[in-house]
Amino acid sequence: MPPFEVPEGDPFGSHNLPYGVFSTPESTERRVGVRLGDHVLDAGAAALALGSPYASLLARPTLNPLLATGRTTWSDVRRALTAWVTVPAHREVLEPLFHPLSSVTLHLPFEVADYVDFYASENHARNAGRIFRPDAPEPLTPNWKHLPIGYHGRAGTVVVSGTDVVRPSGQRKAPSDPAPVFGPSVRLDIEAEVGFVVGTPSEQGKPVVLGDFREHVFGLCLLNDWSARDLQAWEYVPLGPFLGKSFATSVAAWITPLEALEDARIDPPRRTHPLLPYLDDSMEEPAGYDLRMSVAINGQVVSEPPFSTMYWTAAQQLAHLTVNGASLRTGDLYGSGTVSGAEPGQLGSLLELTWNGRDPLELLEGKRTYLEDGDVVTLSAWAPGPGGARVGLGEVGGRIVAG
């Protein structure tokens, strides 16, 4: 099918147009691409062919130059791209610049400056509290309803979808063990998340307020923050996650601009505790997103977490991340934390799905408590779009291989 003839109802139609970086079998040169249906448009070549003033931004091997330009340029470029792929007069020039998605190699679409992971799902936090502190009268920690809890991760191990994940090794110690042992993780898990990509930087010492969220965040992508639960359990007191998280974080190859998700914006869940002024969004525009996620292991769907249930929004996370004066850099990435709904089929981690191994999952290949070598995990999602259309988010997948 010609690239312009996208089937009706395709979640990657002209209403979406996510950005990525690709190369072709003929050249290892990396180029910015825009997805339309099952094709990728060479955005830089298109801009040059049409005499666009944005050619210098799009003819690059990474999205970072575009990310750094700010919201006005993001909107202008998106408007131009929409015209290029919808106005018939451009077809003759642009058709040779499309590549079948199946023929290209997709790369990490931006250079990651910093990586922060949050803990924003009340359902996930309550489940984790019940698992790890079963005798506590309240599963949430005292601070949970007052601030978005997070930790600083490792930018250098953020990898693009399709990259194999090597099973990590480290120290682990069960409560009954007399001493720690060293070896491969035996409780390797997933965390189904959404990642937010920062474009416009901020000045150190100047916090980003809630209302400026969309001035700084370019778009979002699916994210799997792989977790070695046994390594994490032994190391995380008192400073938090380290080796149990830093070995790999997978992101989708496609970054969906926030402008494509206007119809998916919703109010977050009702807040049960008063918020400090810098986090109080009661008078702000809706900052939640209605994203319908799916988690599959070896092709079998095991969960469908709803992002609409996330207690803390991405705008609140950004405000909290910078309230102490920390600056933003172009290419900063922050994850929502595990997305889990209230129902058993809506949980975003094996920790919850199997209740820390107590209730194994029944897969076609056999039972699973945690991931085995050779397992392939794939996250996918869609959001409501204009006129009843669906906006597809690029999937993120990874295969576990022995260390």
Side-chain angles (χ1 to χ4, degrees):
M1 182 175 292
F4 293 101
E5 296 180 15
V6 179
E8 185 177 353
D10 192 302
F12 292 97
S14 59
H15 62 289
N16 189 346
L17 302 180
Y19 294 87
V21 168
F22 74 100
S23 61
T24 66
E26 296 76 31
S27 172
T28 59
E29 179 187 3
R30 298 188 180 190
R31 320 170 198 180
V32 170
V34 175
R35 180 172 176 179
L36 181 67
D38 290 330
H39 287 79
V40 181
L41 174 65
D42 186 331
L48 288 169
L50 295 174
S52 168
Y54 306 115
S56 62
L57 289 177
L58 297 174
R60 299 292 186 93
T62 176
L63 287 174
N64 289 59
L66 174 62
L67 298 182
T69 58
R71 188 178 179 185
T72 298
T73 300
W74 303 340
S75 296
D76 289 346
V77 171
R78 177 172 170 78
R79 196 158 38 244
L81 284 164
T82 303
W84 298 348
V85 301
T86 57
V87 175
H90 297 314
R91 292 193 173 188
E92 184 176 352
V93 173
L94 295 186
E95 189 157 356
L97 305 180
F98 278 94
H99 301 267
L101 185 59
S102 59
S103 72
V104 303
T105 299
L106 298 174
H107 304 279
L108 190 65
F110 62 101
E111 295 176 7
V112 181
D114 276 310
Y115 170 53
V116 171
D117 192 40
F118 283 96
Y119 189 48
S121 165
E122 182 175 356
N123 296 308
H124 173 67
R126 286 190 177 278
N127 288 335
R130 293 186 182 106
I131 290 170
F132 294 127
R133 299 182 299 276
D135 298 325
E138 167 57 56
L140 295 180
T141 54
N143 59 352
W144 201 92
K145 286 294 184 80
H146 296 279
L147 57 85
I149 297 172
Y151 75 94
H152 194 272
R154 188 171 179 83
T157 50
V158 176
V159 297
V160 73
S161 175
T163 304
D164 285 346
V165 175
V166 178
R167 182 178 296 274
S169 290
Q171 288 192 29
R172 60 179 192 269
K173 180 185 177 299
S176 58
D177 292 343
V181 298
F182 179 87
S185 170
V186 295
R187 293 192 173 188
L188 187 54
D189 199 358
I190 63 169
E191 289 192 350
E193 303 191 25
V194 174
F196 293 85
V197 181
V198 172
T200 311
S202 67
E203 185 178 341
Q204 189 167 354
K206 293 188 176 181
V208 175
V209 299
L210 289 171
D212 285 344
F213 164 69
R214 291 193 293 161
E215 299 298 323
H216 291 273
V217 173
F218 173 80
L220 56 78
C221 61
L222 291 180
L223 182 152
N224 186 350
D225 196 32
W226 307 88
S227 300
R229 299 295 183 190
D230 44 357
L231 276 58
Q232 182 182 356
W234 174 235
E235 72 181 1
Y236 85 105
V237 178
L239 295 183
F242 188 41
L243 300 184
K245 295 277 194 174
S246 62
F247 58 97
T249 300
S250 296
V251 295
W254 299 106
I255 309 301
T256 304
L258 293 186
E259 284 194 47
L261 296 165
E262 283 296 298
D263 292 272
R265 290 170 60 196
I266 57 171
D267 289 318
R270 183 180 66 87
R271 303 299 167 48
T272 57
H273 290 57
L275 297 177
L276 292 171
Y278 79 97
L279 292 172
D280 184 0
D281 59 356
S282 57
M283 302 301 292
E284 300 288 340
E285 59 185 9
Y289 285 94
D290 182 12
L291 311 179
R292 323 288 178 86
M293 302 174 67
S294 180
V295 180
I297 300 177
N298 301 329
Q300 183 177 339
V301 174
V302 297
S303 180
E304 295 183 323
F307 192 75
S308 59
T309 62
M310 300 296 276
Y311 191 88
W312 296 105
T313 69
Q316 289 171 316
Q317 291 166 343
L318 191 71
H320 185 64
L321 192 159
T322 60
V323 74
N324 67 343
S327 60
L328 299 175
R329 293 192 292 173
T330 297
D332 280 355
L333 171 70
Y334 65 99
S336 64
T338 305
V339 182
S340 288
E343 304 299 324
Q346 298 179 333
L347 306 175
S349 67
L350 290 173
L351 173 73
E352 299 164 272
L353 285 166
T354 71
W355 211 252
N356 201 21
R358 185 192 69 187
D359 307 316
L361 286 179
E362 295 284 352
L363 299 183
L364 297 176
E365 298 83 7
K367 294 183 178 181
R368 287 290 188 282
T369 53
Y370 287 96
L371 296 173
E372 296 184 4
D373 292 347
D375 284 345
V376 176
V377 179
T378 306
L379 311 182
S380 56
W382 63 274
R390 292 187 175 191
V391 176
L393 275 65
E395 69 180 30
V396 56
R399 179 172 62 101
I400 305 301
V401 298

